[in-house]
Amino acid sequence: MTAPLRLGTRGSVLALAQSGHVAEALTAATGRPVELVEVVTAGDRSTAPVQRLGVGVFVSALRDALTAGEIDFAVHSYKDLPTAAAPGLHIAAVPPRQDPRDALIATGGRTLAELPPGARIGTGALRRIAQLHALGMQFEVTPIRGNIDTRLGRVLGPDADLDAVVLARAGLTRIGRADVITETLDPMLMLPAPAQGALAVECRADDHDLVELLALLDHAPSRAAVTAERALLATLEAGCSAPVAAYGELAEGETGEEIYLRGAVISPDGSRDLRLSRTGTPADAAEIGKALAAELLELGADSILGQEGHAGPGTQQLGSTE
């Protein structure tokens, strides 16, 4: 009997749901059994802001376990991965991406436009904090951290103290909580984080049989979009917690399939908001991201990124994968 493949995962509800989905898909495609192995990361053990802990805080322990041979492969929320490649490891698959947009969960079923000035909105991502300030709607943005249920409790629970929270729609969908969403935010208002909604399935590069096996889960359109978004992030030399947003969509163009990539860099207080777009072919995904980042840098994106430590009035930098 074939031994189960060991899939490393964080122990949060969302991480287990994501890993379970990948495990089921791999077994369905190959017949190979998969067992989940929980790995505790530094990000799980700490309550400190992610910006203080450093880029990759939720993935380093999983990668250490992979390198040590304690697990065979790992599933990451792709937006948590550092943009630099990990020596000896390989992203073998990017499964079909969930809806990458952000979602509002507000009291009384309200939309963003229905919230009054001074409404308290909770979020942990500096990118979201910056874009909420940029709307000019005079919200009080409250930094929060914790898993999805903890965040939802701040607006829906018996001890709720916020008018709304903003979370990734993909995460809510994966744990079966999409019903709490009161508005899916238009990317024109809230551009997603690079690679939001996408998963990265990673294994050791020299495990050629597993590389080939996991490739069955790869979704080329999702990989192309994420490649463009992360190339933009890497060229800006910004981390996953920086006020950088990107959204790549594939559509049929005049000469075939095209990537339409939108990118933004927003100052933490919302006073400067640089947004540009660029198109190209999926084969040139990385070059599209690099070129768009270069245009943003020409407009002064580097000076905005230098302000990361100042998140605007009444805010501080907090973050999480969820």
Side-chain angles (χ1 to χ4, degrees):
M1 189 172 174
T2 305
L5 292 168
R6 299 165 299 168
L7 168 51
T9 177
R10 293 175 59 210
S12 71
V13 171
L14 176 58
L16 290 170
Q18 293 175 165
S19 297
H21 177 76
V22 171
E24 290 171 6
L26 186 62
T27 299
T30 68
R32 288 291 300 272
V34 178
E35 65 175 3
L36 300 187
V37 178
E38 289 188 31
V39 177
V40 179
T41 73
D44 298 313
R45 287 191 296 266
S46 175
T47 58
V50 170
Q51 285 86 347
R52 191 181 305 155
L53 293 172
V55 173
V57 66
F58 292 106
V59 304
S60 58
L62 286 167
R63 285 180 158 174
D64 288 345
L66 256 181
T67 301
E70 297 166 4
I71 57 177
D72 299 307
F73 66 115
V75 172
H76 310 284
S77 288
Y78 211 152
K79 69 177 182 179
D80 289 341
L81 290 183
T83 52
L89 301 181
H90 173 67
I91 305 297
V94 180
R97 186 184 198 176
Q98 283 274 4
D99 188 334
R101 293 176 295 175
D102 284 308
L104 183 79
I105 301 91
T107 56
R110 291 177 290 182
T111 65
L112 199 62
E114 291 168 339
L115 292 172
R120 299 187 72 210
I121 302 179
T123 178
L126 185 53
R127 168 190 61 83
R128 292 181 186 133
I129 291 172
Q131 291 188 87
L132 286 169
H133 284 312
L135 294 174
M137 298 174 75
Q138 300 176 327
F139 296 132
E140 181 184 337
V141 184
T142 300
I144 60 175
R145 200 182 154 197
N147 61 32
I148 291 178
D149 286 333
T150 299
R151 296 184 188 210
L152 290 178
R154 299 289 298 273
V155 69
L156 300 178
D159 300 318
D161 61 342
L162 299 174
D163 296 296
V165 292
V166 180
L167 298 171
R169 180 180 174 87
L172 291 164
T173 300
R174 286 187 175 118
I175 66 167
R177 297 300 306 273
D179 59 300
V180 301
I181 297 170
T182 57
E183 181 184 12
T184 299
L185 298 176
D186 190 314
M188 294 296 289
L189 296 177
M190 183 72 68
L191 202 63
Q196 184 160 299
L199 301 179
V201 183
E202 188 172 50
C203 66
R204 291 180 293 278
D206 61 2
D207 192 342
H208 303 297
D209 290 342
L210 188 54
V211 167
E212 185 175 341
L213 203 67
L214 294 175
L216 295 172
L217 303 182
D218 195 58
H219 185 244
S222 296
R223 183 182 282 269
V226 167
T227 295
E229 294 165 11
R230 284 175 56 81
L232 178 144
L233 187 66
T235 304
L236 291 173
E237 296 184 349
C240 60
S241 56
V244 173
Y247 184 20
E249 297 177 274
L250 269 69
E252 199 63 34
E254 294 181 3
T255 58
E257 203 168 39
E258 288 186 341
I259 292 180
Y260 172 52
L261 177 65
R262 284 177 277 178
V265 179
I266 312 99
S267 64
D269 64 2
S271 62
R272 295 180 65 192
D273 188 353
L274 302 179
R275 295 174 186 261
L276 293 173
S277 63
R278 195 176 183 93
T279 60
T281 66
D284 294 325
E287 296 308 314
I288 297 167
K290 292 174 185 177
L292 187 55
E295 292 181 53
L296 287 166
L297 288 169
E298 287 177 10
L299 293 177
D302 52 345
S303 64
I304 294 177
L305 292 171
Q307 301 176 38
E308 279 183 53
H310 308 284
T315 64
Q316 65 188 75
Q317 300 178 66
L318 292 174
S320 165
T321 63
E322 300 166 0

